[in-house]
Amino acid sequence: MRFKGKNALVTGASGGIGKAIIAALQAEGATVAAADLDLTGTRANHALTGDLTNAVYADGLSQRAADAMGRLDILINNAGIMRRGPVTDSSDEDFAISMAVNVEAPFQLCRAATPIMADKGGGAIVNTASCWGMHPGPGHAVYCMTKAAIVSLTQCMGRDHAPQGIRINAVCPNEVDTPMLRTGFERRGFDPETAVADLGRTVPVGHVATPKEIADVVVFLASGQARYICGALIEVNGGKPVE
């Protein structure tokens, strides 16, 4: 029960990874507030439904979670959006929504959460970045740019807030078998089941990551077992490089 008595806020709570994170935290005693556009079917203790592209909602979300639970010990910035294509195929809307969800919202949440945590003696923040933010690949210019911003934000904040007892790290997955991945295959005319299986054969460990395999690393970084890990970027890629 690594999280008995701990309170956590998880964004992107309705996605595959978000649900896995919530289940893992609750299984070890945490009280969880979930944030997403639609929280139907999400098994959290508190539902804070809203749109992260709304700056007022994003800026106030950390405090709302703290108010709902009495304090805020853990923040998981898991929400994300992927728009594919080179810059020349990317619209202003692709750029704007990617920046809003992938960069601005985590920035606002972190900015609000750090003083809340510091006031109670510390806490842990885990950002969901990406291998693609560390090693940019082809055909995902806007996505890579936004995840690179989270990589840098994590490293900077990790150093700035460690003296306050706040550990800030990032998990950096490669492909994960989520509804978002499968929907992307469908939009490009592929059968998702076949495409995921084919993709798995390109991964050295033999399969595309499951949401739980990412959630396990997120939960570790949020736990006291990672007490000396700060400002780190943990790649969870099954041995597969960005290509």
Side-chain angles (χ1 to χ4, degrees):
M1 300 294 283
R2 289 179 291 180
F3 302 103
K4 186 176 181 180
K6 299 294 186 181
N7 298 327
L9 169 61
V10 180
T11 69
S14 294
I17 296 174
K19 287 180 178 177
I21 292 169
I22 291 171
L25 287 169
Q26 289 179 322
E28 297 202 46
T31 299
V32 180
D36 213 323
L37 280 168
D38 182 358
L39 291 167
T40 304
T42 303
R43 297 175 179 270
N45 303 94
H46 299 273
L48 303 177
T49 307
D51 184 354
L52 286 174
T53 66
N54 181 323
V56 174
Y57 169 76
D59 199 42
L61 188 54
S62 293
Q63 188 62 58
R64 283 183 62 195
D67 291 343
M69 297 183 289
R71 58 183 290 156
L72 181 62
D73 303 294
I74 298 164
L75 168 62
I76 312 295
N77 278 310
N78 173 67
I81 187 171
M82 178 185 286
R83 293 294 175 92
R84 296 174 174 83
V87 167
T88 48
D89 291 342
S90 301
S91 66
D92 288 347
E93 192 270 340
D94 290 330
F95 177 84
I97 194 169
S98 297
M99 286 294 295
V101 176
N102 293 357
V103 181
E104 292 174 25
F107 168 78
Q108 291 169 310
L109 279 149
C110 286
R111 182 177 62 187
T114 46
I116 294 170
M117 292 177 176
D119 187 57
K120 299 295 185 180
I125 297 175
V126 183
N127 296 320
T128 300
S130 172
C131 292
W132 291 70
M134 299 174 68
H135 317 286
H140 293 72
V142 172
Y143 179 74
C144 290
M145 178 190 69
T146 59
K147 289 303 183 179
I150 293 302
V151 163
S152 184
L153 178 68
T154 299
Q155 292 174 313
C156 291
M157 290 193 72
R159 294 171 183 170
D160 288 343
H161 297 285
Q164 296 172 293
I166 302 170
R167 295 183 305 100
I168 303 170
N169 297 292
V171 62
C172 303
N174 204 329
E175 295 102 347
V176 186
D177 188 2
T178 62
M180 184 170 72
L181 180 72
R182 289 174 177 257
T183 299
F185 281 132
E186 287 178 349
R187 287 175 178 164
R188 287 176 284 164
F190 298 105
D191 172 66
E193 202 66 38
T194 302
V196 169
D198 289 343
L199 186 61
R201 285 187 279 273
T202 70
V203 182
V205 300
H207 68 275
V208 176
T210 66
K212 186 178 186 305
E213 287 171 320
I214 306 304
D216 284 346
V217 179
V218 171
V219 169
F220 164 72
L221 289 172
S223 77
Q225 290 176 303
R227 59 190 174 275
Y228 206 69
I229 301 176
C230 193
L233 312 170
I234 309 299
E235 293 191 64
V236 190
N237 58 16
K240 181 181 177 181
V242 172
E243 42 185 42

